[in-house]
Amino acid sequence: MRAPADALVGIHPDRYLHPDEREQGLADWEGLMGGRFATVTRDRRYVRLDGTTLIGRNITSVVRDVEGRPLYVVCQIQDVTESWEAERRFRTAFDASPVGMALTGVGEEASRPLRVNAALCRILRMTPEEAMRCTVADVVEPERLPEVRAAWRDLVAGGRSEYGQELRLRRGDGTPVWVAVRASLVRDDDGTPLYVLTHVADVDDRKRGERLLRQAERRFRSAFEDSAVAMALYDARTLRIEKANAALCRLTGHDEAELLGRTMPELVDPPEGEDADAVAAILRGEGDPGPRELRCRRADGARIWTRLTASTVRDDDDEPTHVVAQLEDVTAEREAKRAAELRLAQQTAAAWLGQRALTEEDLGAVLDAAVRVVASTCEVPYAAIGARDPDGRLRVAATVGWPWRGAILDEDPAASHVAHTVAARSPVIVENVFAETRFSTDALVAQGAASGMSVPIAGEADDGPPFGALTVHSSQRRAFTTDDIAFLTTVANILTAAIRRFAAARNLRHQSLHDPLTHLPNRALLLDRLRHAMARSRRDGSTLAVLFCDLDDFKHVNDTLGHEAGDRLLRTLAPRLRGALRAIDTLARFGGDEFVVLCEGLSDPSEVLAVADRLLEAFDGPVDLGPSQFVPTASIGIALAGPDTCSDPEALLRDADVAMYRAKSRGKGRYELFDATMRTQTLEHVGLLADLRHAVCRGELVLAYQPIVSLKHRRVAALESLVRWRHPERGLLMPDQFIGPATDSGLIHELGRWVIDEAVRQAAEWARRDVRVLRRAMVGVNVSWRQVAQGTLVEDVAAALDRHGLDAGRFCVEVTETALLEDPTGRRRCSPPCAGSASSSSSTTSAPASRRWRSCATSRSTG
């Protein structure tokens, strides 16, 4: 315990017993005290008083009195630390040995191994458990078994110090294997045999080679000389080569005479750091025998990669005397591995760049990322992309290492690597810039480039011009491979996909903001520009104007000549109108036959009238529409806005629209300037329509009946139904105050059906009451051309007659001259019932309704 005796007196054993041993120590103490055993012998760890640790063999016994009661405990501790360490070292060397080893007891020769290492299991092709269940008879051939047993007995009896022999053993899978067996007896300090240590080396390859040599009856060189693997036999102390085989001569480029006498460090380049120590140990035959990859120096000065494996030859004292080194050329293997790693890096880089190209919103950022990833993956200092700018010039768009970003390049193919690649439209490799004759390399030489390669980058269309070229250059001479070109081509394809994605997005934005027929800005783009114009007007105090242009009689063109003629008319007018405007003005197709002009920066509001005059002149001119020519006119509404009135683009457009309708109502082919009165009238018109939508269901509509008297017969011949509207706020409204808006808005259909139904109901009521003065009178209603064009007028009249039980001869429908003028083609026809009809409406013949009305009325007033 490294302490005087008196220092240990009175100390509890827990003070010097290692903490990890206390649990077992307590169990042993309880067993001694309980009488389960009288003595306990164990190897335990102890902690000396100075803090150091030892392994002690503890023999503890209890002294008891005559009645069996424990009096005291006698404890003997023997320091066995050194033997424990020796045992640990032995186990480590045993298990890690590259040679097969077995530890066997000294009993009968049929005894099984106590311990086997991994190398022996590999040789026997058995698991450790299977190997430890085997006896000599299980693995040795029967004819050699007596010899082996005799040698075993002689070894154990001390007749020999070791036993060595080559034997053919049976493996666990039944196959034979030749091994070199060397067995030695291990004794303790007293000379008592403890166990037999057996070394087993696989010599199957050598034995097989010898057998083949004998069978072929020809002279062969030794396995060392004829080995396909480069081998050298050298002194373990001086490291000087004593023998070299032909393969080593081929590997190094030296003949055997040049190799003999050289040291191994003269052939191999040892690595630095810890690896250098490990390699030095391998060369000396110590430590791990390899394999280890090193570079080997050839006679021509070249360096090749080899895999070194060393086997140590030992003397009888087990001291290393020679080392057999095997050198395998792995240059191609390393290059293949590096090529695989490079391909993986290239694939990873391409995948990353592809993802970036799909998500990046800026093409310039994609180009910058491409040159960075290419330079990094190809391990070159220089990379660049030359691309055509919007003006068509070839310019350096992205670069790594070069100071030329943004520089304009000469497009002559002889001027630069980039220009030559763009013109060639194929990869271009420059092995040596100093020997290049296809194009000038002055700029590359000035920047220190030695070799390079480039690939073209396709443009927006396969049959269009290239976008540019991607180039990389190294500062050292380098042979670029097909894999390098393939990687660069992949990156170029990714860039092409990105270019086309951005072009598609640009075209899509253009299509979404432009009219496909005239290629003018559409409503969305006009509103966006109008909002920006209003913001500028508020900032600088300027005036802007919106001109709403609507083609007159455009529907007539579509109806008579077809929609293709209408499209041709619009396409012809678009450049005319654009030519009549200032450069800063915006011309947009608002929809259908409507064009809108935005004029900004007006110093005087009267300037917009000059613009309107030029637009009317642009409209006024014959347009060839195929079978005929058409001279278009337009109605233009103008709305002005200043810094104090610029707030709502939609409201400004509505004002211009209202002014346009005023121009159209005043004769067409003219323009009108919007004023506050128009806005008031528009609001009233909108409110009137809103109220009219509910007038029928609220019962606000009534019919007045104007008698038509026959002067010849002096009686009432007919009654004309006239609708009136009892508006809750505006009072009684005449038809001219709401029929027009109802016709334009489509409400005329609902209103017309109500008038027909109410007139038929009233006529049926008079017929049932047999009013004498009205006994021969017919009830009639006026209809608009929109009601006729809808195609349900006949069905509406027939339904009303059936619903109220009125004879068709008592009801008449009039299509007025105004309706015929609004339908100049005369194509709208109806078949309503009329006077003199003897059958229902379904049996009447088709004829203009006004003709039927006039046949039943002899005179009429103008109510």
Side-chain angles (χ1 to χ4, degrees):
M1 294 301 171
R2 294 182 181 174
D6 56 357
L8 298 176
V9 176
I11 296 179
H12 194 277
D14 283 351
R15 171 63 180 81
Y16 48 81
L17 187 62
H18 193 280
D20 292 345
E21 303 287 349
R22 289 173 184 169
E23 183 177 354
Q24 182 62 48
L26 179 60
D28 292 344
W29 179 267
E30 292 175 351
L32 286 169
M33 294 298 102
R36 291 198 302 275
F37 35 79
T39 302
V40 173
T41 301
R42 293 190 189 279
D43 290 345
R44 305 183 190 276
R45 285 178 292 174
Y46 294 91
V47 180
R48 297 187 178 99
L49 297 188
D50 61 2
T52 60
T53 303
L54 76 153
I55 306 295
R57 183 156 294 154
N58 184 309
I59 303 174
T60 306
S61 58
V62 180
V63 179
R64 302 178 182 273
D65 60 14
V66 295
E67 295 180 357
R69 292 190 297 267
L71 296 176
Y72 51 86
V73 176
V74 177
C75 179
Q76 304 176 51
I77 299 176
Q78 179 185 0
D79 187 354
V80 294
T81 304
E82 185 176 349
S83 63
W84 266 70
E85 287 297 321
E87 174 66 18
R88 184 185 63 80
R89 289 193 297 271
F90 171 76
R91 288 196 302 270
T92 302
F94 183 91
D95 293 336
S97 174
V99 179
M101 298 178 68
L103 198 65
T104 312
V106 295
E108 297 181 0
E109 56 271 18
S111 61
R112 293 174 174 82
L114 302 174
R115 189 182 187 91
V116 295
N117 68 352
L120 180 60
C121 293
R122 288 195 297 270
I123 293 171
L124 296 179
R125 295 180 182 175
M126 296 180 182
T127 64
E129 293 76 12
E130 292 172 339
M132 293 176 65
R133 288 197 297 267
C134 288
T135 65
V136 173
D138 294 327
V139 295
V140 176
E141 293 179 330
E143 59 270 18
R144 299 292 300 274
L145 189 57
E147 173 192 347
V148 172
R149 285 178 171 171
W152 175 275
R153 289 192 294 269
D154 193 22
L155 180 66
V156 172
R160 61 173 72 187
S161 60
E162 64 178 15
Y163 164 73
Q165 185 61 273
E166 289 186 355
L167 299 171
R168 193 164 72 167
L169 305 182
R170 290 191 301 273
R171 292 188 174 113
D173 58 5
T175 61
V177 58
W178 277 96
V179 298
V181 177
R182 183 165 56 86
S184 58
L185 183 64
V186 179
R187 302 175 183 271
D188 61 11
D189 295 340
D190 299 331
T192 304
L194 296 177
Y195 46 80
V196 175
L197 179 61
T198 305
H199 294 75
V200 180
D202 187 346
V203 296
D204 198 55
D205 291 340
R206 179 174 60 80
K207 296 292 288 186
R208 187 180 299 111
E210 293 173 355
R211 185 173 64 254
L212 292 175
L213 286 173
R214 289 192 302 269
Q215 290 175 352
E217 295 181 357
R218 46 190 292 187
R219 298 178 61 188
F220 286 97
R221 295 177 181 175
S222 68
F224 178 89
E225 293 174 343
D226 286 347
S227 174
V229 178
M231 299 177 68
L233 176 67
Y234 60 89
D235 189 282
R237 293 179 294 276
T238 66
L239 305 185
R240 292 191 179 278
I241 299 174
E242 297 180 359
K243 193 172 184 61
N245 68 354
L248 183 62
C249 295
R250 291 192 298 270
L251 180 70
T252 62
H254 293 285
D255 57 29
E256 186 176 4
E258 292 174 332
L259 290 173
L260 297 181
R262 287 177 177 264
T263 63
M264 284 300 294
E266 294 180 51
L267 290 183
V268 297
D269 291 337
E272 298 179 355
E274 295 181 0
D275 284 347
D277 297 335
V279 171
I282 292 175
L283 294 177
R284 293 192 303 269
E286 302 171 356
D288 185 2
R292 181 77 59 144
E293 291 188 359
L294 300 170
R295 285 200 302 178
C296 179
R297 291 190 290 272
R298 289 179 49 85
D300 57 5
R303 298 292 197 272
I304 60 173
W305 281 97
T306 60
R307 183 178 294 120
L308 169 67
T309 306
S311 300
T312 305
V313 179
R314 301 180 181 274
D315 58 15
D316 294 340
D317 298 328
D318 203 28
E319 292 295 328
T321 60
H322 292 81
V323 176
V324 178
Q326 298 180 352
L327 293 172
E328 180 184 0
D329 187 352
V330 294
T331 304
E333 179 182 328
R334 285 179 65 93
E335 290 178 352
K337 180 180 179 182
R338 184 181 181 281
E341 292 174 349
L342 179 60
R343 282 194 294 271
L344 178 60
Q346 290 173 347
Q347 292 168 1
T348 303
W352 176 85
L353 183 62
Q355 182 65 28
R356 184 77 179 271
L358 287 174
T359 57
E360 181 60 61
E361 297 181 357
D362 178 31
L363 180 58
V366 176
L367 299 181
D368 287 336
V371 293
R372 289 197 304 270
V373 75
V374 164
S376 174
T377 306
C378 294
E379 298 178 351
V380 295
Y382 310 115
I385 292 177
R388 296 194 181 279
D389 61 16
D391 297 332
R393 296 173 297 180
L394 195 60
R395 187 186 297 271
V396 178
T399 179
V400 168
W402 301 121
W404 303 326
R405 178 184 290 271
I408 298 176
L409 302 174
D410 190 340
E411 296 191 34
D412 184 356
S416 67
H417 196 173
V418 170
H420 184 80
T421 305
V422 172
R425 297 195 179 192
S426 61
V428 178
I429 297 179
V430 180
E431 295 182 356
N432 183 358
V433 297
F434 298 99
E436 182 58 53
T437 59
R438 293 170 293 180
F439 48 83
S440 173
T441 59
D442 294 343
L444 298 178
V445 172
Q447 292 296 323
S451 300
M453 63 176 173
S454 63
V455 294
I457 303 172
E460 296 180 7
D462 291 335
D463 55 353
F467 174 81
L470 170 63
T471 67
V472 296
H473 291 85
S474 62
S475 55
Q476 302 292 331
R477 287 284 303 277
R478 170 175 172 178
F480 290 100
T481 65
T482 55
D483 285 345
D484 295 326
I485 288 293
F487 170 61
L488 217 61
T489 302
T490 298
V491 173
N493 292 338
I494 292 172
L495 294 180
T496 297
I499 291 164
R500 293 179 178 179
R501 179 175 72 85
F502 282 105
R506 183 182 65 247
N507 294 336
L508 184 61
R509 286 194 299 271
H510 180 85
Q511 293 172 5
S512 66
L513 297 176
H514 289 78
D515 171 48
L517 179 65
T518 63
H519 303 294
L520 295 176
N522 61 11
R523 178 190 181 99
L525 183 54
L526 172 70
L527 288 172
D528 182 68
R529 292 184 179 178
L530 184 54
R531 279 191 290 270
H532 286 86
M534 287 182 165
R536 284 192 292 272
S537 175
R538 289 192 295 270
R539 289 196 302 269
D540 57 25
S542 62
T543 300
L544 61 88
V546 170
L547 295 86
F548 203 107
C549 310
D550 185 87
L551 275 172
D552 298 327
D553 302 323
F554 181 71
K555 186 176 185 305
H556 175 66
V557 174
N558 280 337
D559 290 344
T560 57
L561 301 179
H563 288 280
E564 183 178 351
D567 291 345
R568 188 182 308 125
L569 174 61
L570 295 175
R571 283 195 300 268
T572 303
L573 288 176
R576 284 190 190 179
L577 300 179
R578 192 184 296 109
L581 300 176
R582 304 173 302 169
I584 63 172
D585 296 337
T586 297
L587 172 65
R589 185 186 177 196
F590 204 65
D593 59 343
E594 298 170 338
F595 295 91
V596 174
V597 177
L598 168 61
C599 295
E600 299 185 61
L602 300 175
S603 57
D604 187 343
S606 63
E607 294 179 19
V608 74
L609 302 182
V611 175
D613 287 330
R614 291 198 301 271
L615 287 174
L616 289 177
E617 292 177 3
F619 277 109
D620 188 13
V623 178
D624 186 4
L625 299 182
S628 63
Q629 286 192 335
F630 179 74
V631 180
T633 62
S635 300
I636 303 176
I638 306 172
L640 296 170
D644 299 329
T645 58
C646 287
S647 59
D648 186 357
E650 294 281 2
L652 188 62
L653 286 170
R654 285 196 299 271
D655 292 345
D657 190 23
V658 170
M660 182 272 295
Y661 275 107
R662 173 68 62 86
K664 194 175 287 290
S665 67
R666 290 185 175 182
K668 305 178 181 179
R670 54 181 291 142
Y671 59 79
E672 288 287 338
L673 188 65
F674 181 83
D675 57 24
T677 303
M678 292 183 186
R679 181 179 289 110
T680 302
Q681 292 174 350
T682 300
L683 293 176
E684 289 180 355
H685 178 77
V686 172
L688 186 69
L689 284 178
D691 293 342
L692 185 58
R693 293 182 185 279
H694 306 289
V696 174
C697 62
R698 292 174 180 171
E700 296 174 359
L701 298 179
V702 295
L703 290 183
Y705 298 94
Q706 177 173 271
I708 299 174
V709 179
S710 173
L711 299 179
K712 178 180 179 180
H713 299 94
R714 296 181 178 274
R715 61 179 176 80
V716 177
L719 296 172
E720 182 178 6
S721 304
L722 303 174
V723 65
R724 302 289 187 267
W725 181 9
R726 289 197 181 98
H727 194 280
E729 297 177 357
R730 303 184 186 187
L732 186 65
L733 300 181
M734 295 294 105
D736 59 350
Q737 294 178 274
F738 60 89
I739 292 298
T743 301
D744 293 337
S745 65
L747 291 175
I748 191 65
H749 303 302
E750 181 182 357
L751 178 61
R753 280 193 294 271
W754 181 86
V755 170
I756 291 172
D757 186 78
E758 178 61 19
V760 170
R761 185 198 65 78
Q762 185 61 63
E765 176 67 19
W766 286 331
R768 283 194 297 273
R769 292 169 54 189
D770 193 20
V771 178
R772 185 173 61 85
V773 71
L774 301 177
R775 186 171 298 162
R776 297 182 181 180
M778 177 184 299
V779 176
V781 297
N782 298 328
V783 296
S784 73
W785 68 268
R786 287 188 181 274
Q787 290 176 267
V788 177
Q790 189 182 21
T792 62
L793 179 60
V794 174
E795 289 77 5
D796 293 341
V797 173
L801 293 174
D802 292 342
R803 184 164 46 252
H804 299 293
L806 180 66
D807 188 336
R810 300 291 299 273
F811 190 73
C812 183
V813 174
E814 176 185 6
V815 180
T816 64
E817 292 85 348
T818 302
L820 291 176
L821 289 175
E822 291 175 345
D823 183 21
T825 63
R827 291 178 297 171
R828 300 185 182 90
R829 305 297 184 195
C830 67
S831 301
C834 195
S837 299
S839 61
S840 68
S841 60
S842 61
S843 63
T844 61
T845 60
S846 176
S850 59
R851 185 181 305 163
R852 290 174 178 265
W853 170 250
R854 292 172 186 266
S855 68
C856 65
T858 57
S859 67
R860 56 182 299 181
S861 64
T862 58

